[in-house]
């Protein structure tokens, strides 16, 4: 709130003196010595001591002893935090150059008549405080006490001044998601990764499902290129083996896809998330990998903590009179019956077991039917986007159970990785074909589903078909290539006897990648 100069002077008088009086909350006071030691005299009343600066109001800091201190910064004065500036002013960054320590300097400036901190933004002018970062209005800070509850003071890289940094209030956990406007088919985007980022994701899409979209180059904040688009076997520029060799030589995994693709950093244990700005070039592409005509739509997702909780949203298409009824055991298997069906619940228990080994809790499971799209009951994988865009949940993973999947041999389908924090896209979920139960058990289907969920969350095959002849064709995880690779959850093929196998294993580094996935919720189970 705004306060007059007279009120600020009165507060300054009111918070001086020696606390230790008997006044309780709400008691009239003239100074701290009129209030009990756990309170302060604020605006003439005994009130609780502050935990954070917003407890005091606009134009005040919260001191270490819990007292509110009025700011003295006037227009044009240097500041290092929003709390340095008097009411009606904001601490605004000078984005023309960085100081000697590479930190941006700031001054107290008349606040803008626009959105408050935490609001979505595109430009600095969209924000009351004149700072738009990671798609949101950010208050400049010096310590976390300067920020509101649930926010921390973090180092944020500038996308305007190269290598420059500033400190701003960011949520202490969860996701920051924002749209990045682009106006051409081969744009360059800049993604800032603050100190508290655990993963960075870029979701790219084009309205034409017959065109591909994806990154062509990724430069890390340290100046190293961690991804370059491999040569194109589709255009005849190289062989498929040469294209694969270049793909696996990249420090970062990524594959452009028709209609939509996701770049998720990190994809392995050799390259983590670096504080700084990622420079990413992307393009729409035709089927032969030539430059396309569609302008990409781009969304950035930055995770600010590690996750432990995986939500699953289960959707059942029409499974009445399924040919594999002997194994399914319930007719029909649908949202109403699945919650108590013994076979299906054993299937979920086995998925729990797999992810428990990664210290990830599977819970908050929802059940829904989709009975108004009969053309998708038996799904051709080429049309999977028409089903996945029905995935209406932005948190967790949408899982669709269909009667059959084709072409023959496909048991499950989903993106690798999938979009986190977004619903209703052509990749918003995975598909499980229940015709697999005609020749496999619920246990085998659970392992297959866990494999597909892990792919959605950012893991790749631990080894690929052809690795004996091409030793580089494996994932970027440092510690998962010991022992029998076929026992790993991410093995490229089914084990010899998938119906009689213990839960597949995950390595320590694979578990680390999973907990960084933007799909997961934080440590508090909803």
């Amino acid at each position: 709130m705004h306060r007059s100069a007279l009120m600020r002077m009165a507060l300054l008088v009111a918070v001086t003196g020696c606390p230790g009086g008997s006044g309780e909350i709400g008691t009239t006071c003239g100074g701290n010595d009129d209030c009990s030691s756990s309170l302060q005299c604020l605006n003439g009343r005994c009130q609780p001591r502050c935990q954070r600066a917003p407890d005091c109001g606009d134009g005040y800091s919260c001191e270490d002893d819990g007292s509110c201190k009025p700011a003295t910064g006037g227009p044009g004065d240097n500041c290092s935090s929003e709390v340095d500036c008097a009411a009606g002013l904001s601490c605004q960054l000078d984005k023309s150059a960085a100081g000697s320590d590479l930190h941006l300097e700031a001054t107290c400036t008349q606040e803008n008549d626009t959105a408050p901190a935490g609001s979505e933004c595109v430009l600095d002018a969209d924000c009351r405080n004149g700072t738009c970062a990671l798609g949101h209005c950010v208050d400049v800070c010096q310590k976390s006490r300067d920020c509101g509850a649930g926010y921390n003071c973090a180092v944020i890289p500038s996308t305007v001044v190269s290598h420059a940094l500033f400190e701003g209030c960011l949520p202490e956990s969860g996701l920051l998601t924002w749209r990045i406007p682009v106006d051409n088919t081969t744009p360059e985007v800049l993604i800032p990764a603050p100190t508290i980022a655990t993963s960075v994701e870029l979701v790219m899409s084009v309205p034409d499902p017959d065109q591909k979209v994806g990154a062509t180059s990724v430069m890390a904040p340290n100046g190293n290129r961690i991804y370059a688009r491999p040569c194109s076997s589709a255009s005849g520029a190289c062989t498929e083996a040469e294209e694969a060799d270049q793909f696996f030589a990249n420090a970062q995994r990524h594959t452009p896809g028709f209609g939509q693709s996701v770049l998720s950093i990190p994809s392995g244990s050799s390259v983590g998330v670096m504080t700084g700005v990622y420079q990413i070039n992307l393009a729409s592409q035709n089927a032969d990998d030539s430059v396309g005509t569609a302008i990409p739509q781009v969304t950035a997702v930055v995770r600010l903590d590690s996750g432990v909780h995986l939500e699953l949203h289960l959707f059942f298409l029409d499974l009445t009179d399924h040919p594999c009824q002997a194994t399914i055991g319930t007719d029909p298997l649908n949202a109403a019956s699945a919650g108590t069906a013994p076979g299906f619940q054993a299937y979920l228990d086995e998925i729990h077991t797999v992810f428990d080994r990664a210290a990830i809790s599977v819970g908050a499971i929802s059940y829904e039917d989709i009975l108004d799209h009969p053309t998708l009951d038996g799904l051709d994988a080429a049309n999977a986007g028409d089903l996945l865009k029905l995935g209406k949940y932005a948190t967790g993973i949408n899982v669709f159970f269909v009667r059959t999947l084709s072409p023959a041999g496909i048991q499950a389908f989903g993106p690798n990785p999938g979009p986190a924090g977004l619903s209703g896209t052509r990749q918003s979920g995975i598909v499980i074909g229940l015709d697999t139960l005609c020749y496999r058990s619920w246990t085998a289907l659970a392992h297959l589903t866990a494999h597909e969920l892990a792919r959605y969350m950012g893991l790749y095959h631990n080894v690929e078909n052809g690795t004996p002849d091409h030793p580089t064709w494996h994932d970027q995880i440092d510690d998962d290539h010991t022992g029998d690779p076929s026992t790993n959850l991410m093995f490229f093929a089914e084990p010899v006897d998938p119906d009689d196998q213990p839960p597949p294993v995950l390595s320590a580094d694979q578990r680390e990648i999973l907990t960084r996935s933007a799909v997961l919720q934080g440590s508090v189970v909803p």
Side-chain angles (χ1 to χ4, degrees), residues 305-360:
D305 62 348
S306 294
V308 297
H309 180 71
L310 174 62
E311 295 179 1
L312 295 181
H313 307 288
L314 311 182
F315 295 88
F316 300 85
L317 280 84
D318 188 357
L319 305 174
T320 305
D321 297 327
H322 196 281
C324 311
Q325 197 58 53
T327 305
I328 292 176
T330 301
D331 189 20
L333 182 65
N334 56 28
S337 64
T340 57
F344 192 81
Q345 289 302 304
Y347 159 83
L348 291 180
D349 288 344
E350 189 70 11
I351 293 175
H352 274 272
T353 299
V354 173
F355 283 100
D356 281 346
R357 293 184 169 191
I360 293 173

Side-chain angles (χ1 to χ4, degrees), residues 210-471:
D210 294 325
Q211 292 191 46
K212 293 190 290 186
V213 64
T216 58
S217 172
V218 179
M219 296 286 288
N222 63 0
N224 291 338
R225 190 184 306 277
I226 58 175
Y227 172 80
R229 183 175 64 179
C231 62
S232 170
S233 60
S235 68
C238 60
T239 66
E240 291 184 1
E242 290 170 333
E243 182 178 13
D245 286 338
Q246 292 185 22
F247 171 82
F248 288 105
N250 279 313
Q252 170 66 40
R253 294 282 187 266
H254 173 64
T255 303
F258 284 98
Q260 184 173 334
S261 71
V262 175
L263 168 72
S264 183
I265 303 170
S267 60
S269 52
S270 60
V271 177
V273 177
M274 306 176 196
T275 299
V277 177
Y278 285 85
Q279 178 183 321
I280 303 173
N281 294 89
L282 53 136
S284 61
Q285 305 164 27
N286 296 312
D288 62 359
D289 291 334
S290 60
V291 176
T293 58
I295 295 178
Q297 297 177 344
V298 183
T299 299
V301 181
V302 173
R303 185 178 188 92
L304 302 178
D305 62 348
S306 294
V308 297
H309 180 71
L310 174 62
E311 295 179 1
L312 295 181
H313 307 288
L314 311 182
F315 295 88
F316 300 85
L317 280 84
D318 188 357
L319 305 174
T320 305
D321 297 327
H322 196 281
C324 311
Q325 197 58 53
T327 305
I328 292 176
T330 301
D331 189 20
L333 182 65
N334 56 28
S337 64
T340 57
F344 192 81
Q345 289 302 304
Y347 159 83
L348 291 180
D349 288 344
E350 189 70 11
I351 293 175
H352 274 272
T353 299
V354 173
F355 283 100
D356 281 346
R357 293 184 169 191
I360 293 173
S361 169
V362 179
I365 298 176
S366 64
Y367 300 79
E368 296 183 39
D369 290 322
I370 298 179
L371 303 178
D372 55 348
H373 288 75
T375 58
L376 301 177
D377 293 341
L379 186 70
D380 188 314
N383 301 323
D386 294 334
L387 177 60
L388 295 180
K389 67 183 181 182
L390 300 179
K392 63 182 182 180
Y393 292 97
T395 60
I397 302 178
N398 302 292
V399 182
F400 298 85
F401 296 94
V402 298
R403 294 180 66 84
T404 62
L405 260 174
S406 60
I410 295 180
Q411 299 169 296
F413 182 88
N416 180 213
L422 297 176
S423 60
T425 80
R426 296 181 61 83
Q427 292 186 323
S428 290
I430 66 171
V431 185
I432 304 299
L434 287 188
D435 52 338
T436 298
L437 291 175
C438 291
Y439 54 92
R440 293 286 182 260
S441 67
W442 276 116
T443 298
L445 189 65
H447 296 168
L448 171 70
T449 303
H451 173 96
E452 206 64 35
L453 292 170
R455 277 170 44 88
Y456 192 99
M457 296 165 64
L459 289 186
Y460 291 80
H461 290 156
N462 61 325
V463 295
E464 297 286 353
N465 189 19
T467 300
D469 296 325
H470 301 274

Side-chain angles (χ1 to χ4, degrees), residues 31-250:
N32 281 348
D33 53 345
D34 293 333
C35 304
S36 66
S37 59
S38 63
L39 305 177
Q40 63 175 325
C41 186
L42 185 62
N43 295 329
R45 298 282 182 181
C46 293
Q47 298 185 29
R49 289 180 175 266
C50 60
Q51 299 293 322
R52 301 271 184 148
D55 297 341
C56 302
D58 183 27
Y60 302 90
S61 65
C62 179
E63 299 301 289
D64 291 341
D65 65 356
S67 62
C68 296
K69 179 181 177 181
T72 58
D77 290 346
N78 292 333
C79 57
S80 57
S81 173
E82 186 72 13
V83 302
D84 294 337
C85 301
L89 304 178
S90 62
C91 188
Q92 299 197 15
L93 297 170
D94 177 3
K95 295 188 177 180
S96 61
S100 58
D101 63 350
L102 295 180
H103 270 64
L104 294 175
E105 297 180 348
T107 56
C108 295
T109 305
Q110 181 65 42
E111 65 184 15
N112 300 324
D113 187 21
T114 45
S119 303
E120 295 184 3
C121 59
V122 176
L123 305 172
D124 289 339
D126 296 336
C127 304
R128 181 200 70 83
N129 50 32
T131 301
C132 180
L134 293 99
H136 295 77
C137 298
V138 174
D139 275 340
V140 176
C141 59
Q142 193 171 28
K143 54 188 176 182
S144 292
R145 187 183 288 271
D146 299 344
C147 307
Y151 283 72
N152 282 333
C153 189
V155 176
I156 303 173
S158 169
T159 57
V160 177
V161 181
S162 179
H163 302 294
L165 305 168
F166 68 96
E167 290 177 284
C169 298
L170 293 179
E172 61 188 18
S173 63
L175 307 180
L176 284 177
T177 302
W178 71 99
R179 288 286 299 271
I180 300 176
V182 300
D183 59 6
N184 63 84
T185 60
T186 57
E188 176 186 276
V189 299
L190 303 177
I191 308 297
T195 49
I196 59 175
T198 55
S199 67
V200 174
E201 184 172 287
L202 200 67
V203 182
M204 299 154 280
S205 61
V206 289
D208 183 357
D210 294 325
Q211 292 191 46
K212 293 190 290 186
V213 64
T216 58
S217 172
V218 179
M219 296 286 288
N222 63 0
N224 291 338
R225 190 184 306 277
I226 58 175
Y227 172 80
R229 183 175 64 179
C231 62
S232 170
S233 60
S235 68
C238 60
T239 66
E240 291 184 1
E242 290 170 333
E243 182 178 13
D245 286 338
Q246 292 185 22
F247 171 82
F248 288 105
N250 279 313

